[in-house]
Amino acid sequence: MNVVGAWFGVETAYRKSLIAKNESALGGALKAKESRRAAATAVNSAE
């Protein structure tokens, strides 16, 4: 039996399920991160 392959398959399916269940929250977090990054870039380029 390929234990590593089975483990990887189950872990991948589990993570994809969690991502799908929390897609809206993750999208909001990504937008916030991109906003902070843009603000930091603006500050750094102003120097």
Side-chain angles (χ1 to χ4, degrees):
M1 179 177 185
N2 180 359
V3 175
V4 174
W7 187 335
F8 179 78
V10 171
E11 182 76 18
T12 300
Y14 176 70
R15 288 178 184 232
K16 285 182 178 182
S17 171
L18 286 175
I19 290 168
K21 287 180 185 175
N22 296 294
E23 190 171 356
S24 64
L26 292 170
L30 179 61
K31 285 181 183 178
K33 177 185 156 194
E34 289 171 346
S35 175
R36 288 190 305 271
R37 182 176 179 263
T41 299
V43 168
N44 286 333
S45 64
E47 293 178 357

